[in-house]
Amino acid sequence: MEEPPPKEESNAPGGAQNPSNLFGGVDSISSLPDEMLHHIFSFVPTKVANTTSVLSKRWRHLWCKTPYLSFPHHKSSLESIHETLASYTAAKITRFHLYVDRETSEASERSRHHVDSLIKFAISHNVEKLSLVLNAYYVFPDFFFSNSSLKQLIVDSWNYMSPKCTVSWTSLQNLSLRNSSLDESFTKVLSGSLMLESLTLQSCSLSCLDLSESPRLRRLNLEFFNSSPRKCHIVAPHIHYLRMIDFTQKYSLVDVSSSLIEANIDTIYFLPRFWCTQDDPSKDPSKEDYQVMMQTMLEKLQNVENLTVGLSFLQMLSIAEYSGVHFPTFNVKTLTLKTTILRSAVLGIAKLLQNSPELKKIVFYKTEDWNCSVEKYVNRYMEPQDTQDLIFPAKSAFKVAKPDLVASFMELLLRNTRKLETLVLQLRSCLNISNYDELSQIALTLSHKNKVSIVLK
């Protein structure tokens, strides 16, 4: 009887198994093409991919040619990363991620030289997607600002993004900055990135964002987790998509494109409380700042067709309506409400619906009840405009969707729209077996009565 061929010898350590042992002697993974195995490597740190070299001859040099390199937060030194890259043989890097913290990199010239050389390594391999998390002091070198292959750049760093040289990112399409301090030199970044299509700024300190010289920019994503003491004017005449989250009255939209068709808007959670607790405008001019901010914001959103708003912004809309702020007519066709069912948001929702005559679809997305601390200030400031609004809770604390409450909310949405075709309620965990049947029957009745498709999820 002929003996089976010997199995390929493995040098795998105790914790690593030869892939053939995992599938009853059939090495299905090793038979995959290199491109697919490299894709698998893209989901793990390079340090982990490197360990596969001991599995068998098939895997020995496989990681050395992967176009995906990732060095996330770990205790390895910058020197060890260099040692790992000494075996790298691929000519091109598709994605390169580097995390540097204070433990990994001390504030020394030697450490900064290591970071320089790692970034230079990625650039020399024509990297397309570069991601840097730099939690240590670092000054970006001039060569960093000149790259013809880079298409996506993500930088999370407390350091200034202040190029002293000319910026030339001729292929850059997506730029994302977090925790960066941006000064007047940021205009160099924009002028040197003429192919830029998407810009994301998270918790960045800036006084003015002028995107008028970025003709290809279509998507602007702004998240203001830190409240800057400075006022910031935003000029974005070419964008089609705008996301502004956690902003305050310090930020104003000076100019946005008339072709802005999609927006996702929410103020920082404490802003409605601040507006409600301000003194008389004649004594405290900051109260007028809120009215001006809301008036300007509403005007800039007139042409938006797909609008998403959060709870805090809806509360701001309620206060604006109660305070007599003028609401323009909106061109919204799809409205997404990311909120919970609250009395303080009802007035703003109703006014938004009434001024959106072309609205065809509403999506209600039930969020977590985390903004309760603001409720008492908003409710104390406003008196209910309609006795029907009293059914809505003054505090957001329901875990299960009560049929009568959800029914009243659906009726609120339906009676304030004219051309609505679809209403989707994503109640998530608030929808269970005990209330689903009753809510489904209510939805069916309202659907037939109003000739609107109602979906519960």
Side-chain angles (χ1 to χ4, degrees):
M1 182 175 179
E2 186 177 353
E3 295 183 1
K7 294 182 179 180
E8 185 178 2
E9 182 180 353
S10 172
N11 297 318
Q17 297 187 51
N18 189 301
S20 61
N21 296 334
L22 302 176
F23 296 91
V26 179
D27 189 354
S28 302
I29 296 181
S30 295
S31 63
L32 295 174
D34 287 1
E35 292 77 10
M36 191 169 294
L37 294 175
H38 289 160
H39 181 69
I40 294 174
F41 285 159
S42 72
F43 295 98
V44 299
T46 300
K47 183 179 180 180
V48 175
N50 186 21
T51 62
T52 64
S53 61
V54 302
L55 294 176
S56 67
K57 291 180 180 179
R58 167 76 173 95
W59 293 79
R60 186 164 301 166
H61 303 292
L62 190 63
W63 85 268
C64 301
K65 297 181 180 180
T66 177
Y68 308 102
L69 296 177
S70 177
F71 301 97
H73 184 211
H74 54 75
K75 295 183 179 179
S76 300
S77 63
L78 295 173
E79 290 88 343
S80 68
I81 297 177
H82 280 286
E83 293 173 1
T84 300
L85 293 178
S87 303
Y88 190 73
T89 59
K92 180 175 177 57
I93 297 176
T94 300
R95 187 174 69 236
F96 186 94
H97 171 70
L98 176 65
Y99 184 105
V100 179
D101 62 10
R102 290 182 177 86
E103 295 179 2
T104 305
S105 173
E106 298 179 356
S108 66
E109 286 295 328
R110 182 179 180 184
S111 296
R112 289 195 289 273
H113 173 72
H114 281 306
V115 178
D116 284 353
S117 61
L118 290 172
I119 295 177
K120 186 174 291 186
F121 179 89
I123 293 176
S124 66
H125 286 73
N126 299 315
V127 62
E128 292 186 3
K129 298 179 180 180
L130 179 61
S131 173
L132 302 172
V133 180
L134 306 174
N135 288 335
Y137 176 72
Y138 183 70
V139 178
F140 292 95
D142 288 351
F143 70 79
F144 173 74
F145 296 101
S146 181
N147 191 319
S148 61
S149 62
L150 193 62
K151 295 182 179 179
Q152 176 179 300
L153 175 61
I154 301 174
V155 177
D156 185 344
S157 171
W158 291 101
N159 300 285
Y160 274 88
M161 178 71 73
S162 304
K164 300 294 188 290
C165 60
T166 301
V167 177
S168 180
W169 287 333
T170 54
S171 300
L172 188 64
Q173 298 173 352
N174 298 285
L175 175 60
S176 178
L177 303 177
R178 188 180 187 202
N179 296 321
S180 297
S181 295
L182 310 176
D183 55 21
E184 292 75 11
S185 62
F186 187 62
T187 57
K188 291 185 178 181
V189 173
L190 297 173
S191 61
S193 310
L194 295 180
M195 301 298 289
L196 194 63
E197 298 175 357
S198 176
L199 175 63
T200 297
L201 301 178
Q202 296 177 291
S203 298
C204 291
S205 175
L206 68 165
S207 58
C208 180
L209 182 62
D210 189 349
L211 303 172
S212 57
E213 300 301 320
S214 301
R216 290 177 174 266
L217 189 69
R218 295 294 181 266
R219 298 180 66 86
L220 178 60
N221 185 353
L222 303 174
E223 296 185 27
F224 304 102
F225 295 132
N226 57 343
S227 182
S228 173
R230 298 180 295 175
K231 289 191 174 183
C232 177
H233 300 294
I234 301 168
V235 180
H238 310 293
I239 61 172
H240 292 176
Y241 171 86
L242 172 66
R243 182 172 182 263
M244 284 184 67
I245 303 298
D246 288 341
F247 67 94
T248 70
Q249 79 280 13
K250 300 286 186 181
Y251 301 91
S252 61
L253 289 174
V254 177
D255 182 22
V256 294
S257 172
S258 58
S259 59
L260 179 66
I261 57 176
E262 185 174 357
N264 186 340
I265 306 294
D266 201 11
T267 58
I268 199 163
Y269 75 95
F270 56 73
L271 204 61
R273 172 183 172 178
F274 278 19
W275 191 356
C276 292
T277 56
Q278 294 298 319
D279 294 327
D280 190 290
S282 60
K283 300 178 182 179
D284 187 355
S286 61
K287 193 178 184 75
E288 292 185 344
D289 289 346
Y290 294 105
Q291 296 181 352
V292 172
M293 180 199 75
M294 291 302 295
Q295 183 74 64
T296 303
M297 177 65 72
L298 294 175
E299 291 173 354
K300 303 305 181 185
L301 296 176
Q302 286 186 79
N303 296 317
V304 170
E305 296 182 4
N306 191 338
L307 178 62
T308 299
V309 291
L311 171 57
S312 295
F313 188 72
L314 288 171
Q315 291 173 327
M316 293 293 286
L317 290 179
S318 294
I319 301 171
E321 167 65 2
Y322 187 80
S323 302
V325 173
H326 172 72
F327 279 61
T329 300
F330 301 102
N331 193 38
V332 178
K333 293 179 173 59
T334 299
L335 175 64
T336 300
L337 303 171
K338 288 189 174 182
T339 180
T340 187
I341 302 176
L342 283 172
R343 188 183 304 167
S344 60
V346 164
L347 188 59
I349 292 174
K351 186 62 177 179
L352 185 57
L353 297 179
Q354 294 165 8
N355 283 47
S356 303
E358 301 301 319
L359 187 62
K360 298 289 193 297
K361 181 178 181 179
I362 298 176
V363 178
F364 168 68
Y365 188 89
K366 170 69 172 64
T367 58
E368 297 298 325
D369 304 328
W370 61 274
N371 202 14
C372 302
S373 61
V374 176
E375 288 306 300
K376 60 181 179 180
Y377 296 97
V378 180
N379 291 328
R380 188 185 304 162
Y381 181 79
M382 299 186 305
E383 297 178 0
Q385 300 293 294
D386 192 327
T387 55
Q388 297 183 61
D389 295 346
L390 293 174
I391 191 174
F392 300 112
K395 295 182 179 180
S396 51
F398 71 87
K399 299 299 180 183
V400 177
K402 298 179 181 179
D404 59 338
L405 174 61
V406 176
S408 297
F409 186 67
M410 287 192 287
E411 290 172 347
L412 168 76
L413 301 178
L414 293 170
R415 71 171 176 262
N416 285 287
T417 54
R418 307 175 193 174
K419 300 180 180 180
L420 193 66
E421 298 175 355
T422 305
L423 172 59
V424 180
L425 287 90
Q426 297 191 14
L427 300 172
R428 304 191 296 167
S429 60
C430 293
L431 192 63
N432 55 33
I433 297 175
S434 64
N435 61 10
Y436 179 77
D437 291 339
E438 186 175 354
L439 281 173
S440 295
Q441 187 58 49
I442 293 173
L444 183 62
T445 301
L446 290 174
S447 177
H448 289 317
K449 180 180 178 180
N450 295 274
K451 296 182 174 55
V452 173
S453 174
I454 301 179
V455 181
L456 299 177
K457 293 184 178 181

